[in-house]
Amino acid sequence: MTGLKIIATGGALPSRVVTNDDLSKIVDTSDEWIYPRTGIHSRYFCGENESTTDLAIKAASQALERANIDKEQIGCVVVATLSAEFACPSTACLIQEALGLPTDIAALDINAACTGFIYGTEVARGFLSANGKKYALVIGVEKLSKILDMTDRTTCVLFGDGAGAAVYEADDTMYYSIQGACGAKDILVPGINEADGKSYVSMNGKNVFKFAVSAIPRVINGIFEKSEKTMDDVDWVVCHQANSRIIDHVVKKYKAPTEKFYKNMDRFGNTSAASVPLALNELCESGKVKSGDSVMLVGFGGGLTEAGVLLSYAPKA
Ligand code: COA
């Protein structure tokens, strides 16, 4: 076995929708400022009784139901998150217990910020290669609302909560991946709010923007080099949904049709590790992606990290 293909996806969102207008009652901002710069109109925030674990279990169980497989065949559970409910037990172990998944497989959380789901895909491929099992369950989940400084308008308007999941099948047809990391950690880090001394997301927006518009083509070109394919060979590109303008920049660079690059940050904001699988899930639910289509997933973000994978969508049902 050398690669993976996507056989099913799932997603979960908290109950509370927070619009830009809602945020304008908390900080000095407006839809007129936020939307043109980011493409974000609203996002979901967890209520008091909604946890990262709840979202992850919902997304995972939806993906598993849709996969139409015997859950005893799952060969690993990998959860990408930077906002797990607990450091231990891991979200992955809680999912394993809640969904009655096999106990002779690895279940673990990883943190590569917004690139987490793509790194997690590669980690899952490694486990299946090692244990010879057929299917992997990979989840990206975040409750970023708990680490947002709701007095900082430069960050609190950008992020949201949610979860996305995929069931992968070991596959020998098409799989190319690439990963990168560099420690330019000064531009996207937990910052300290002087008022309460707690740690919150903070970033230099302009420098993160510059990083993003260089990271995505680096990842895409890296995959094209390995695969000897071009943008014409790729049916769908699902990039991390940080900012609509970042994706527009890349679409223009490749002279690609806008529809090839899926976007949903208008309703979800940036959900970090959940962003790629949530967008992938919506794309699959839309019915636009057909069995046999090639899908490229591209992540970039905190660390700094970046990664991509090119693989097929091939649902079983
Ligand atoms: N509402 C209103 N005004 C705001 C604001 C908000 N939410 N956030 C910042 N501003 C103000 C600033 O205070 C500044 O005011 P000043 O000129 O009086 O000092 C002005 O708007 C411009 O701020 P700036 O930070 O220069 O804006 P920008 O054009 O760089 O846009 C981002 C800010 C965050 C939208 C943009 O930098 C960006 O998208 N960066 C990438 C972020 C990202 O994707 N992060 C996640 C990566 S995984």
Side-chain angles (χ1 to χ4, degrees), residues 27-30 33-34 37-38 113-115 152-159 187-188 203-212 240-246 270 272 300-302:
V27 284
D28 181 12
T29 192
S30 62
W33 192 94
I34 301 168
R37 284 172 182 78
T38 66
C114 311
T115 314
D152 176 7
R153 67 178 181 175
T154 67
T155 52
C156 74
V157 303
L158 301 176
F159 298 95
I187 67 169
L188 181 57
M203 69 174 175
N204 178 326
K206 281 202 193 314
N207 285 345
V208 172
F209 195 98
K210 279 187 208 152
F211 160 68
H240 170 45
Q241 305 286 305
N243 182 315
S244 184
R245 287 189 301 132
I246 292 174
N270 175 348
S272 194
F300 58 89

Side-chain angles (χ1 to χ4, degrees), residues 6-270:
I6 305 160
I7 62 163
T9 62
L13 293 162
S15 49
R16 206 173 129 222
V17 178
V18 178
T19 64
N20 292 346
D21 289 340
D22 294 332
L23 290 179
S24 71
K25 293 172 191 134
I26 304 171
V27 284
D28 181 12
T29 192
S30 62
D31 187 55
E32 290 70 32
W33 192 94
I34 301 168
Y35 184 70
R37 284 172 182 78
T38 66
I40 301 167
H41 268 313
S42 61
R43 73 288 293 142
Y44 290 81
F45 281 169
C46 286
E48 261 178 38
N49 298 322
E50 290 171 310
S51 69
T52 316
T53 313
D54 299 332
L55 291 174
I57 290 171
K58 271 191 207 160
S61 76
Q62 188 176 57
L64 265 183
E65 269 167 38
R66 290 173 174 172
N68 208 15
I69 57 168
D70 176 357
K71 64 185 178 186
E72 285 305 310
Q73 291 180 285
I74 290 289
C76 63
V77 184
V78 181
V79 175
T81 184
L82 57 78
S83 55
E85 187 174 6
F86 312 107
C88 186
S90 67
T91 318
C93 282
L94 295 170
I95 292 172
Q96 185 195 34
E97 183 183 41
L99 302 186
L101 297 177
T103 52
D104 62 342
I105 59 167
L108 82 169
D109 291 2
I110 61 159
N111 175 3
C114 311
T115 314
F117 183 79
I118 322 256
Y119 270 35
T121 298
E122 192 62 11
V123 170
R125 185 176 80 92
F127 278 125
L128 295 196
S129 295
N131 66 20
K133 292 187 188 277
K134 205 166 174 190
Y135 301 106
L137 176 60
V138 181
I139 299 111
V141 60
E142 300 292 4
K143 182 174 172 177
L144 298 176
S145 55
K146 74 177 178 184
I147 51 167
L148 289 180
D149 176 352
M150 295 308 294
T151 66
D152 176 7
R153 67 178 181 175
T154 67
T155 52
C156 74
V157 303
L158 301 176
F159 298 95
D161 301 339
V167 177
Y168 291 115
E169 180 175 345
D171 181 58
D172 272 329
T173 52
M174 180 188 63
Y175 184 93
Y176 300 96
S177 70
I178 189 163
Q179 301 83 33
C182 77
K185 56 189 182 300
D186 52 326
I187 67 169
L188 181 57
V189 285
I192 302 292
N193 179 329
E194 287 178 4
D196 64 10
K198 285 190 183 157
S199 190
Y200 295 105
V201 174
S202 102
M203 69 174 175
N204 178 326
K206 281 202 193 314
N207 285 345
V208 172
F209 195 98
K210 279 187 208 152
F211 160 68
V213 296
S214 66
I216 301 177
R218 203 162 41 238
V219 166
I220 294 177
N221 291 344
I223 289 182
F224 286 161
E225 232 167 80
K226 278 190 171 182
S227 62
E228 298 182 352
K229 293 188 187 294
T230 69
M231 194 50 88
D232 290 341
D233 302 311
V234 179
D235 294 305
W236 303 98
V237 183
V238 180
C239 289
H240 170 45
Q241 305 286 305
N243 182 315
S244 184
R245 287 189 301 132
I246 292 174
I247 295 182
D248 292 346
H249 188 94
V250 178
V251 168
K252 214 166 150 192
K253 186 177 172 69
Y254 286 94
K255 299 186 176 68
T258 319
E259 326 71 77
K260 189 176 278 205
F261 283 70
Y262 193 74
K263 283 196 213 170
N264 68 1
M265 75 286 286
D266 59 327
R267 288 159 292 125
F268 297 167
N270 175 348

